Amino acid sequence: MANVTLASVSKSYGKTPVIPSIDLEIENGEFVVFVGPSGCGKSTLLRMIAGLEVVTSGHLSIAGTVANDIPASKRDVAMVFQSYAIYPHMTVAENLGFGMRVRKASAEEIERRTNEAASALQLESFLDRYPRELSGGQRQRVAIGRAIVRDPGVFLFDEPLSNLDAELRVHMRAEIAQLHRKLSSTMIYVTHDQVEAMTLADRIVVLRDGEVEQVGTPQDLYDNPVNEFVAQFIGSPKMNLLPSELVGDAGGAARIGIRPEALDLTDSTARLSGAVTACEYTGASTLFHVALASGQTVLASVNGRTMFAPGREVGLTFADSDCHRFDAKGVAIG
C-alpha cells in the first residue's frame, strides 16, 4: 500500500493549461474514483500519477517520495487500461507473469505470484488459454491480474469496464470491489460513469475543466453537493433544477434542486403540476417525464407499478427537507 499526494499539481500542453492546480491526498488502502465529463482531465491526472504524463508544476508524491522525475517503470504503481493491452501470442499464465520475467524474477516466484493472481480472479482454469479464447470479461481480469502480480503500492484503473456490456460491467464492478477488500491496496479509478463511482469508491473526486469541484464519500456528494454541477452529475437520473419561485421557496435561493426519487405523483392538487409526457417502466420503478405549465420537464422516479399514462394531468409532491437550494452562481446555500 502507498499514499499519493498531489501538491499544487498542474499540467499544460504548451501555453494551454489542462489542469490548473490540484491539491489532493489519497490515503493508504483507499479506493478513490476520479469522475467527470469527457475532457475534464481525469485520465490526464491518472497518467501523471502513472508517470505517462509529465507534471508541469507542483509535486506528486507516492509513499512519501516525490515522483515527478521518477520514470513510470520505477514507480510503485500498476495500471489497467481501457483496452486490455494483453499479448495475443501469450497464454494467460504467460501474460500474468510477463512483467516479472522482464524483471528477472525466479521461476518459482513467477509461478507463485501468477497462481495467487489467478486464484484471486478465478482464472485458474484459463491459464493455458490464449486471449482469443477468452470473453471480454476474462480478458479484463487477465489485465487486472497482470497488475496484481506486480504487487504495486498503487493500482491505477483507466475506465477499465467501458468496453464491456452492461451486465458484465455490473459483474466486474463487484469483482473489483471484492478485490480491493481482499488486497487492501490503494486504488485510483477513472470513469465517466457516476454509477461506477458511487458503487466502488471510498471517496469520489468530481472534476470539471481540470479542477476539483468536490471530494467526498458517495453519500456526502449525493446528500450535500456543493454546487449545481455536482448535484446534477451525481445521482441517476440527474437532479431536477427549478426556479425557486416555481416551488414557492422563500429562502433566497435562485434555484431549487429536487431529485427524481424525492418526487411522487398524485391525482390531487399539489405545489407542482403538469402532464405526463412519457413513462419508462423498469420493473422495480417507473420514471415519469412531466411537463410543467412553465414548459420545463421534470423527472419523477416512483417505486413500484404506479402508472399514469402519457397525457394524464398529475400533481408532484415532495418534502421541503428533500430540496437543495442554490444561489444565482449555482453554489449550494446552507
Side-chain angles (χ1 to χ4, degrees), residues 279-331:
C279 53
E280 302 172 23
Y281 175 65
T282 61
S285 64
T286 303
L287 182 66
F288 292 95
H289 300 242
V290 180
L292 307 181
S294 65
Q296 183 171 352
T297 295
V298 299
L299 302 177
S301 181
V302 180
N303 289 333
R305 302 189 179 188
T306 304
M307 294 303 294
F308 292 89
R312 178 83 168 269
E313 293 290 330
V314 296
L316 293 162
T317 63
F318 55 93
D320 286 340
S321 59
D322 289 325
C323 292
H324 298 260
R325 293 168 172 81
F326 302 97
D327 65 19
K329 294 183 179 180
V331 177

Side-chain angles (χ1 to χ4, degrees), residues 231-232 237-242 255-263 288 296-301 324 326:
Q232 290 205 297
K238 70 179 183 179
M239 179 184 288
N240 299 296
L241 287 177
L242 301 166
R255 283 172 293 278
I256 301 298
I258 310 173
R259 295 202 180 277
E261 52 271 29
L263 289 170
F288 292 95
Q296 183 171 352
T297 295
V298 299
L299 302 177
S301 181
H324 298 260
F326 302 97

